[in-house]
Amino acid sequence: MAAHSAAATAVSALAPPRSWRWFAGWGLACALLAWSWQGADIRPLDLFRESGNMAEFSRDFFPPNFRDWRLYAEEMVITIHIAVWGTVLAIICAIPFGLLSAENIAPWWIHQPVRRLMDASRAINEMVFAMLFVVAVGLGPFAGVLALWVHTTGVLAKLFAEAVEAIDPQPVEGIRATGANVLEEICFGVIPQVMPLWISYALYRFESNVRSATVVGMVGAGGIGVVLWDVIRSFQYAETCAIMIMVIITVSVLDLASARIRKTCI
Amino acid sequence: MASIRISSLTKTFRNTRRALDDVSLEFASGEMVALIGASGSGKSTLLRHISGLLVADGASEDCCIEVDGRPIQRGGRLVRDVRRLRASIGFVFQQFNLVGRLSVITNVLVGAAHRMPLWRTLLCRFTAEEKKLALDALTRVGIGEIAWQRASTLSGGQQQRAAIARALVQRARLILADEPIASLDPESSRRVMNTLAEINRRDGTTVIVSLHQVEIALVYCPRVIALKDGRVMYDGPAATLSSERLREIYGSDLDTMLAPENITTASPPAVPVLAPINLNAGVFAGNSA
């Protein structure tokens, strides 16, 4: 036993002593958490104090009221339509933008500006774009499509570019050595290599666009969100619950389906 | 059918190491030449310059590489129509450089892309004649039956023969093979070397092949060029390249350039070309038919 602890001491003596950076790092992390606690107005005690109110509030949700289920289903289908077109248009734009923002395809004076443009369209949330497009093209699903399109293009272009930057350069060189031009190099050397990843990213973004499409409706951009916002504002919680259940089912089914498709593609 | 003239080619990587030092060489059309040397001696660098995948140092203005009398690079700059010149040069890589997710025949058809209009290439609309050409090339190198498989499912030797088929579909008049057998087992190595030798003999295609193993160079190639530290140490017939001369050039490095089974025999057989092809007579059965 004594020998064992002596060995442990010897080992810990060998390890380098903790530097001031270690303490500074943890101190900084703790300070950040404390500061954010204040800013975010976190009141955990309220969860207990108001528990009676909350129980009563959640009782209003049950049983869910599916009386208008036809309307909900119709709007849910429109929500999916918004997601489909928002994603498809984004994929079409993300292919050239993604290639142009890849370091190994485009020179810096092209990929840097394109990347900044994509950063900008990614930085603004779909909801903000939806509000702007509602003003531009009027209330309705088209505003939602435009909002998803712009935001998703930014996201997919970045993901596509990262896939392109990770390719094996040797097959591309093999294509180049046959006298192919840049477009042929991309078409035969780059695209086949990134295809599985691109499909997987695009499907993932479709899933998350279905989720986003349910909320862009809240600012008037069409789909189930419009109905959801109406019933919440008029305190019809049983209807709200019914809509939420339908959203959960739809999103889960699409997630499962796209996971299945992804598996067959790779 | 293609001749090459290289004059005073110098290449420095990142201003530190001189990979090629004032190399001047000429190749007549229809030759089969081996480039030998230890790793890092400049074999790959030389081949990559000939097809314009690398450019020489800009400092020397008189540096020039011509293929069939047409310059491909001069004074450290590629010529404008380098792609058209590359199309007549088949390049075979050590790592095959096929696109693994495409079928073998699509990989081979890429060799025909330079003769096709761009829209047809980009949409993968290959004509029946082009496909026939590709299938014939694959049959000629002995892998016609696996044309529709994904390239990644092939063995190394099969992939390398697919890469040679791509050069055939290119109608390349010059094939540059950069360590084509360095990643292959002995049996696949023999098949690949036999294929290259057959193309050289039957089509008169100029073949320049860089090799790590001296014996194979001596067996297949009438002319051998020995490189060391980016300089040409020997350029002449394989028959007069004795083991003493090799020992003189490479010193202890020579041991790494001899295949293990031949180390015991010490002197590699200086047989002129194509003697051991009967090791593998079945390979070309498809051609005589």
Side-chain angles (χ1 to χ4, degrees):
Chain A
M1 204 53 202
H4 182 260
S5 71
T9 327
V11 169
S12 62
L14 280 176
R18 281 182 179 140
S19 73
W20 62 271
R21 283 166 203 271
W22 189 86
F23 293 103
W26 277 105
L28 222 76
C30 291
L32 178 72
L33 284 173
W35 185 39
S36 311
W37 181 282
Q38 276 190 327
D41 187 25
I42 295 185
R43 290 170 281 121
L45 286 181
D46 281 12
L47 286 174
F48 298 102
R49 207 177 303 137
E50 310 289 343
S51 57
N53 281 344
M54 285 195 289
E56 200 174 317
F57 177 57
S58 42
R59 258 199 299 281
D60 289 346
F61 280 75
F62 295 99
N65 180 352
F66 281 101
R67 199 186 54 226
D68 285 333
W69 70 270
R70 274 173 206 284
L71 170 71
Y72 305 156
E74 264 170 43
E75 292 295 325
M76 199 67 232
V77 171
I78 290 179
T79 304
I80 295 172
H81 291 168
I82 296 173
V84 166
W85 271 103
T87 313
V88 167
L89 291 173
I91 293 170
I92 293 169
C93 293
I95 291 172
F97 281 128
L99 288 166
L100 289 176
S101 50
E103 242 168 25
N104 49 354
I105 302 281
W108 68 268
W109 48 270
I110 291 179
H111 76 240
Q112 284 300 344
V114 174
R115 275 186 197 179
R116 296 295 84 77
L117 182 71
M118 293 300 105
D119 286 348
S121 62
R122 199 166 58 240
I124 312 291
N125 191 280
E126 297 101 323
M127 284 290 269
V128 181
F129 278 126
M131 283 190 260
L132 298 177
F133 281 121
V134 163
V135 178
V137 301
L139 291 169
F142 187 48
V145 170
L146 295 177
L148 291 184
W149 176 16
V150 175
H151 181 78
T152 310
T153 300
V155 177
L156 279 183
K158 182 187 165 72
L159 292 173
F160 282 8
E162 275 172 12
V164 170
E165 282 170 3
I167 60 165
D168 177 1
Q170 289 183 335
V172 184
E173 194 174 47
I175 307 275
R176 183 178 309 148
T178 67
N181 64 28
V182 178
L183 280 178
E184 289 162 341
E185 279 173 34
I186 290 172
C187 181
F188 288 97
V190 178
I191 304 274
Q193 287 194 60
V194 296
M195 210 40 154
L197 266 181
W198 280 15
I199 290 173
S200 152
Y201 289 146
L203 282 169
Y204 172 71
R205 278 316 297 186
F206 173 66
E207 289 164 33
S208 85
N209 274 349
V210 174
R211 294 192 290 269
S212 304
T214 59
V215 291
V216 291
M218 291 193 165
V219 295
I224 193 81
V226 176
V227 187
L228 186 61
W229 186 228
D230 280 347
V231 295
I232 292 176
R233 269 189 308 182
S234 48
F235 308 109
Q236 297 168 296
Y237 294 125
E239 284 80 358
T240 307
C241 182
I243 294 175
M244 280 162 62
I245 289 173
M246 290 186 70
V247 169
I248 291 170
I249 291 173
T250 312
V251 169
S252 319
V253 168
L254 286 176
D255 278 14
L256 287 175
S258 88
R260 183 67 60 83
I261 298 174
R262 232 177 313 174
K263 219 170 263 173
T264 59
C265 287
I266 298 170
Chain B
M1 294 199 298
S3 56
I4 306 167
R5 183 198 303 266
I6 301 167
S7 42
S8 52
L9 168 62
T10 297
K11 176 69 177 180
T12 319
F13 283 117
R14 297 205 185 132
N15 299 323
T16 51
R17 202 169 54 81
R18 191 148 272 201
L20 288 175
D21 193 356
D22 198 24
V23 171
S24 297
L25 286 168
E26 279 190 38
F27 300 88
S29 42
E31 272 195 292
M32 178 139 181
V33 186
L35 287 178
I36 59 166
S39 40
S41 58
K43 308 183 294 288
S44 303
T45 314
L46 177 59
L47 289 177
R48 295 163 70 82
H49 275 89
I50 298 174
S51 77
L53 292 172
L54 282 176
V55 285
D57 289 353
S60 56
E61 277 302 314
D62 48 348
C63 157
C64 182
I65 299 177
E66 286 175 10
V67 176
D68 262 352
R70 290 190 298 173
I72 192 158
Q73 59 173 290
R74 177 179 283 160
R77 307 190 77 133
L78 292 176
V79 295
R80 193 177 282 273
D81 62 345
V82 60
R83 296 207 167 85
R84 193 135 42 85
L85 275 162
R86 267 188 205 142
S88 64
I89 304 172
F91 206 108
V92 176
F93 297 85
Q94 178 181 350
Q95 295 300 331
F96 330 126
N97 291 19
L98 300 179
V99 183
R101 293 183 57 84
L102 294 180
S103 65
V104 175
I105 191 159
T106 311
N107 269 292
V108 172
L109 279 165
V110 168
H114 66 93
R115 296 191 294 269
M116 294 163 56
L118 184 64
W119 69 269
R120 211 147 60 70
T121 317
L122 295 186
L123 296 174
C124 287
R125 310 291 297 178
F126 298 102
T127 62
E129 295 97 272
E130 281 154 0
K131 285 184 188 157
K132 170 122 190 352
L133 187 67
L135 266 178
D136 287 348
L138 283 168
T139 311
R140 180 166 175 197
V141 299
I143 53 172
E145 71 283 3
I146 51 172
W148 306 99
Q149 280 185 29
R150 266 194 189 180
S152 56
T153 63
L154 270 56
S155 72
Q158 290 171 326
Q159 290 199 39
Q160 196 58 293
R161 282 185 283 157
I164 295 172
R166 177 164 70 185
L168 286 176
V169 168
Q170 250 176 279
R171 301 215 178 99
R173 293 168 310 150
L174 161 65
I175 292 181
L176 306 173
D178 181 13
E179 299 263 10
I181 57 170
S183 314
L184 303 180
D185 59 89
E187 176 57 23
S188 302
S189 299
R190 258 193 295 276
R191 280 172 174 245
V192 164
M193 285 310 294
N194 285 352
T195 310
L196 285 173
E198 191 264 356
I199 291 168
N200 168 258
R201 197 179 28 167
R202 252 185 27 149
D203 302 0
T205 308
T206 314
V207 175
I208 304 177
V209 51
S210 76
L211 292 164
H212 199 79
Q213 303 97 317
V214 177
E215 302 91 331
I216 295 176
L218 295 176
V219 164
Y220 285 96
C221 303
R223 177 178 167 198
V224 174
I225 294 170
L227 290 173
K228 190 189 183 189
D229 299 331
R231 291 205 189 131
V232 176
M233 306 300 283
Y234 176 89
D235 178 3
T240 61
L241 186 58
S242 61
S243 53
E244 289 76 38
R245 182 87 181 86
L246 281 168
R247 179 75 56 190
E248 214 176 284
I249 297 172
Y250 293 109
S252 58
D253 276 349
L254 186 61
D255 296 334
T256 68
M257 297 164 60
L258 297 170
E261 65 262 32
N262 284 28
I263 284 178
T264 47
T265 60
S267 72
V271 187
V273 196
L274 301 179
I277 268 190
N278 57 0
L279 279 171
N280 198 2
V283 176
F284 302 116
N287 305 318
S288 49

